[in-house]
Amino acid sequence: MDLPAGADLGPEVTCADPVEGFARFVPEGPARGLPPRETDPGEYGGACFPSAVGMVASDLDQDGDPDLLFAARDAFPELWRNDGGVLTRVDVSAALEPLLDRAEVGAVGAVDLNGDRLPDVVVASANLLAVSWNQGGLQFADFEPLWAPPEYPRTCLYTFAFGDVDGDGDLDVSLPGGDLLADAEAEFQHAPTIGSPDWLLFNDDGAFDRALELERVGGRSLSLLTVFTDRDNDGDPDIVVSTDRNDLGLAPMAMHRHDGLDEDGLPRLTDDAPTVGFDLNTHGMGLGSADLNDDGVLDYLISDGVASLPTLLSDGQGGWLEAGLALGLIVERPPGVGDDWAGEYDGWE
């Protein structure tokens, strides 16, 4: 790979005593009370692609132990209380299904939205961000909508990220768009030809009444991934929004640079992904960041459905280089995974 003048990938690091694969991890779930989990997709009839497979570790009862939440399609997530490493199932009756309107849960999270230091449970679905307020003692209120515009077209939401983008002390939320539902009869389409809007919702003392569409270079796209980050160490939260199903010819990844607030208190956000090297087409599923080359700037690695893991290394000149292949981050996948997204997939042993 040819590097620009002055760019440096940093020192080569070699593990002295590597352990292949996952041999260094020992399953302890059953011993701690968590039985083996089997995912049964069952009968699918929702308006959005069924993706409620998320898991959240959060200290929901503030006893010092991280409890576990497993996403459910149309109900409060499956909750397991952690007491000193011993896990016990807790039944929660907080109602959700009436808010879903033919769609299903696409994402689940736990975050303190009202400042009482108790993580509230948040879910996303089609044109819906809803919260179940944490009452303490692992008691939760019925879900209520934080943001639920009723009009069509509606956007299937498969992920979210929280961060204080306007500096008022409240956690705002980035909601990247998934599949677009044109009308009440629309069902999930495996090859949509248009993208969906990416939303930024502003939290004003617990109310999410203001929404801003994040404009991407190249137009709308599809995404299962967004993060807040400070790419330039200026103290302002920049926003990364990835892409999904990169064979559709939609807009590439966005990197929204935060340049402070305008006279109305709104963040000045500019997608300069093509300028700084973030304009990749990915099947982005997750993102990790760290300073991999010791230059004081964050680098980014994306879990993906392609042969090499996209890795954006800072080039020392305000941009990033895709270096996953050069670093040897090549993934051997089971046959059929990532080869034909439109084909039938029956799983693997």
Side-chain angles (χ1 to χ4, degrees):
M1 180 178 68
D2 295 328
L3 299 178
D8 182 11
L9 293 180
E12 180 177 335
V13 178
T14 303
C15 181
D17 187 21
V19 177
E20 292 186 2
F22 287 91
R24 60 193 182 278
F25 294 102
V26 178
E28 291 194 7
R32 293 175 181 265
L34 184 68
R37 302 182 56 80
E38 295 182 2
T39 300
D40 180 7
E43 198 66 30
Y44 165 59
C48 296
F49 185 77
S51 62
V53 294
M55 188 275 283
V56 175
S58 178
D59 187 3
L60 298 171
D61 53 6
Q62 296 295 281
D63 66 350
D65 298 319
D67 309 296
L68 301 182
L69 288 171
F70 295 93
R73 287 187 174 189
D74 58 2
F76 191 93
E78 184 179 311
L79 171 59
W80 290 79
R81 182 181 66 242
N82 183 356
D83 291 317
V86 177
L87 297 164
T88 306
R89 177 73 186 271
V90 177
D91 291 326
V92 179
S93 60
L96 169 62
E97 195 275 335
L99 299 179
L100 294 178
D101 189 19
R102 294 175 14 116
E104 297 180 346
V105 170
V108 60
V111 62
D112 178 14
L113 290 181
N114 57 7
D116 63 359
R117 300 189 179 183
L118 291 171
D120 307 298
V121 175
V122 182
V123 298
S125 182
N127 268 36
L128 174 68
L129 186 71
V131 63
S132 174
W133 299 108
N134 192 335
Q135 309 292 299
L138 297 183
Q139 301 295 312
F140 294 85
D142 289 346
F143 280 91
E144 61 183 65
L146 294 172
W147 181 78
E151 65 272 6
Y152 284 88
R154 296 163 64 198
T155 300
C156 295
L157 302 170
Y158 302 127
T159 190
F160 47 69
F162 285 90
D164 185 8
V165 75
D166 57 2
D168 65 352
D170 296 323
L171 290 175
D172 311 301
V173 60
S174 173
L175 282 175
D179 299 278
L180 201 66
L181 304 176
D183 52 48
E185 300 303 319
E187 293 293 337
F188 173 78
Q189 298 179 12
H190 288 273
T193 56
I194 58 175
S196 296
D198 301 321
W199 296 106
L200 178 61
L201 309 182
F202 297 96
N203 181 356
D204 298 314
D205 296 325
F208 288 79
D209 297 328
R210 294 186 298 154
L212 174 69
E213 181 177 348
L214 294 172
E215 301 288 346
R216 290 189 194 229
V217 172
R220 294 175 174 179
S221 193
L222 297 169
S223 182
L224 303 179
L225 168 65
T226 184
V227 296
F228 286 95
T229 184
D230 187 3
R231 73 180 210 195
D232 45 13
N233 298 322
D234 66 352
D236 293 324
D238 311 297
I239 305 174
V240 177
V241 185
S242 185
T243 54
D244 185 51
R245 282 160 280 172
N246 61 6
D247 54 340
L248 299 178
L250 299 175
M253 279 180 58
M255 167 54 100
H256 299 282
R257 187 187 70 239
H258 192 306
D259 293 321
L261 305 180
D262 64 17
E263 59 276 7
D264 297 319
L266 295 175
R268 296 184 176 93
L269 295 166
T270 303
D271 178 17
D272 64 353
T275 303
V276 298
F278 264 81
D279 56 335
L280 306 180
N281 282 296
T282 66
H283 290 296
M285 303 294 176
L287 184 147
S289 61
D291 183 5
L292 299 177
N293 52 6
D294 287 328
D295 65 352
V297 178
L298 286 174
D299 309 295
Y300 303 88
L301 186 145
I302 302 168
S303 61
D304 206 333
V306 296
S308 63
L309 295 177
T311 304
L312 290 153
L313 285 179
S314 56
D315 62 8
Q317 302 178 39
W320 285 261
L321 300 166
E322 205 293 283
L325 185 61
L327 293 173
L329 296 175
I330 301 171
V331 180
E332 294 184 6
R333 304 184 185 279
V337 179
D339 296 333
D340 182 6
W341 290 93
E344 182 177 355
Y345 173 62
D346 295 324
W348 67 86
E349 295 296 330

